[in-house]
Amino acid sequence: MVAYYLSCHLNSSNPLQLTQSKFNSGSSCDDSVCLAACTFPLMFPCGDIFWDQSLRGLAMFFFMLRFIEIGTFPRGLTANWSPRDYYEFIGTSDNDSLRLLAVKAEKTNPQRTSSYQARTFKYKDRNILFYIWQSSRLIGSLLILTWSQAYLETYPYNRDKRFWTFLMPWDREGVLEVFAFAIQLFTVIDLLYTPGTLIMVHFLQAPFTPVCDSPYFSTSLRDFWSNRWNRYIKTTIHRISFAPTVQYLRLVDPRPEAQETHYAIATLVAFAMSALVHEYAVVMLIPYEWVPGESAIFFMIHGVFCVATERWKKYGLFGLADDVASRWIGWIATALFFLVTSPFFVGPFMRSGVFLQMPVPLLLK
């Protein structure tokens, strides 16, 4: 990050002004050296907003978080990794040895094993029909993204009404804005992650797990964050914050009755880590729209309510019971909670219009 701002100072005394002026100018980046530099942790600025922000964002994720994550594994485990293991880990936060480690962890602590099973497609099960389906689904995502871009360009985000405030469900304009942005975010993540990941796991003959698993069907906050949303970064956050916190607390207080408290504290630590990661992401991607603490408020509110709903589990509230009525209540409550708290997360991205730069078919738009 320091190197990024120093590189800005080589061209302007105000790096934020330089970045914003380049984005507003709509200039294209035809310098291959500049484009290549975006993929490294130094993250030199690039004139094209889409490549600048998406590539620097991916670099932040893959280089910073992955190297922190790899330090949480036993040295004897990583010492035996082959180049194939490293490539799969960098791309998916997983490999054969980590899958075996997860199976052992489930056997030693079965009470914490979730009944939810992620959709995983093994190499031998991925035939030509699978790739045709994935290609068709990605084309559909592109069409949906085109619609959301067209809507948000026609009805721009009302930054004066949505700044540091909660969104009320009866605010029709705000609800439509957030709905269009949610479509943007979901489809952009899908379009950025899925093609490259599919190519990588195909050549490595490794399993493929979708980055998101129908997050719009989430019946609780825990179901959304633990099972359905951005599994790659969720796994990383779990390993670098949640798991070490639980291990430390067990050493401090090994009593079995303190276990639930350990998990509650570790959950809050994981959401605090996620808050820091997203604050950093906003600083790197759209520094001119960064408001300190804006994204952190969103994640800490969700962390507190995740802990609270787990405590209410025995009462069968918020979709945490196994009956149909509770799941419907949980689905509605989860959707409303995301809607009300959404301005704190979507604010910087909506104000900057960063996702409006994602290339889409102009004719369709």
Side-chain angles (χ1 to χ4, degrees):
M1 183 168 65
V2 173
Y4 166 67
Y5 284 113
L6 287 177
S7 65
C8 286
H9 276 292
L10 295 177
N11 299 288
S12 171
S13 59
N14 186 344
L16 301 187
Q17 183 179 1
L18 168 68
T19 308
Q20 188 172 15
S21 64
K22 281 193 172 188
F23 291 163
N24 291 338
S25 66
S27 59
S28 61
C29 178
D30 55 1
D31 187 345
S32 59
V33 176
C34 172
L35 183 60
C38 292
T39 63
F40 289 91
L42 292 179
M43 302 178 186
F44 296 106
C46 174
D48 187 285
I49 181 174
F50 170 72
W51 291 114
D52 181 85
Q53 300 189 8
S54 59
L55 292 179
R56 284 196 288 130
L58 289 174
M60 178 207 71
F61 177 78
F62 286 115
F63 288 98
M64 183 186 75
L65 292 183
R66 284 291 188 266
F67 284 118
I68 297 175
E69 181 182 0
I70 204 171
T72 66
F73 303 136
R75 182 170 296 183
L77 178 72
T78 58
N80 296 321
W81 281 7
S82 65
R84 176 188 179 279
D85 293 324
Y86 276 104
Y87 293 146
E88 185 180 356
F89 170 73
I90 292 296
T92 67
S93 193
D94 206 359
N95 56 35
D96 290 338
S97 61
L98 294 178
R99 283 186 280 271
L100 290 175
L101 195 66
V103 171
K104 293 180 180 178
E106 291 177 359
K107 291 180 179 179
T108 57
N109 195 10
Q111 66 270 24
R112 292 298 298 180
T113 301
S114 173
S115 59
Y116 174 87
Q117 296 295 326
R119 293 182 301 159
T120 299
F121 304 91
K122 297 181 180 179
Y123 174 74
K124 62 181 181 180
D125 298 328
R126 300 199 301 266
N127 53 26
I128 186 64
L129 293 178
F130 169 82
Y131 289 101
I132 292 175
W133 159 245
Q134 289 295 328
S135 300
S136 302
R137 191 182 59 77
L138 290 173
I139 292 174
S141 294
L142 184 61
L143 294 176
I144 296 173
L145 173 64
T146 303
W147 172 86
S148 65
Q149 282 201 16
Y151 179 86
L152 290 174
E153 287 177 358
T154 305
Y155 305 100
Y157 184 69
N158 193 333
R159 58 185 300 153
D160 295 330
K161 290 181 61 178
R162 319 282 179 229
F163 187 71
W164 277 73
T165 184
F166 293 101
L167 176 62
M168 296 298 102
W170 52 83
D171 183 351
R172 189 176 70 89
E173 179 187 0
V175 170
L176 290 174
E177 289 174 349
V178 169
F179 179 72
F181 176 82
I183 290 175
Q184 273 193 317
L185 182 61
F186 177 70
T187 53
V188 165
I189 289 177
D190 192 18
L191 291 167
L192 287 179
Y193 275 96
T194 302
T197 304
L198 272 175
I199 294 172
M200 182 195 67
V201 297
H202 177 77
F203 284 105
L204 296 179
Q205 299 185 7
F208 170 72
T209 302
V211 61
C212 296
D213 189 2
S214 304
Y216 34 81
F217 290 144
S218 301
T219 56
S220 69
L221 291 176
R222 183 187 177 191
D223 183 32
F224 180 90
W225 292 114
S226 296
N227 302 328
R228 298 182 179 276
W229 182 254
N230 204 339
R231 291 188 57 83
Y232 300 151
I233 194 170
K234 171 263 173 183
T235 302
T236 302
I237 294 294
H238 178 88
R239 287 171 177 162
I240 68 180
S241 58
F242 183 91
T245 302
V246 170
Q247 293 174 2
Y248 172 77
L249 292 174
R250 282 176 179 170
L251 293 175
V252 174
D253 186 0
R255 296 176 303 152
E257 58 268 23
Q259 183 170 282
E260 286 303 316
T261 302
H262 295 169
Y263 287 125
I265 295 173
T267 298
L268 294 177
V269 171
F271 273 94
M273 174 60 70
S274 186
L276 290 175
V277 168
H278 284 83
E279 288 280 338
Y280 177 71
V282 174
V283 171
M284 291 304 301
L285 302 181
I286 41 177
Y288 52 91
E289 290 293 353
W290 179 56
V291 178
E294 189 175 14
S295 297
I297 288 177
F298 175 84
F299 285 98
M300 293 315 299
I301 290 176
H302 279 247
V304 169
F305 272 81
C306 268
V307 172
T309 51
E310 283 298 293
R311 294 288 184 173
W312 297 331
K313 188 173 184 178
K314 59 183 178 180
Y315 300 111
L317 299 176
F318 300 104
L320 295 171
D322 207 16
D323 58 275
V324 176
S326 293
R327 286 197 293 268
W328 270 102
I329 294 172
W331 180 74
I332 295 172
T334 302
L336 285 175
F337 191 80
F338 269 96
L339 184 66
V340 170
T341 59
S342 61
F344 291 97
F345 176 78
V346 308
F349 300 101
M350 294 281 280
R351 294 193 300 266
S352 68
V354 54
F355 289 141
L356 296 178
Q357 305 299 322
M358 183 75 176
V360 297
L362 293 178
L363 181 61
L364 289 176
K365 187 162 65 172

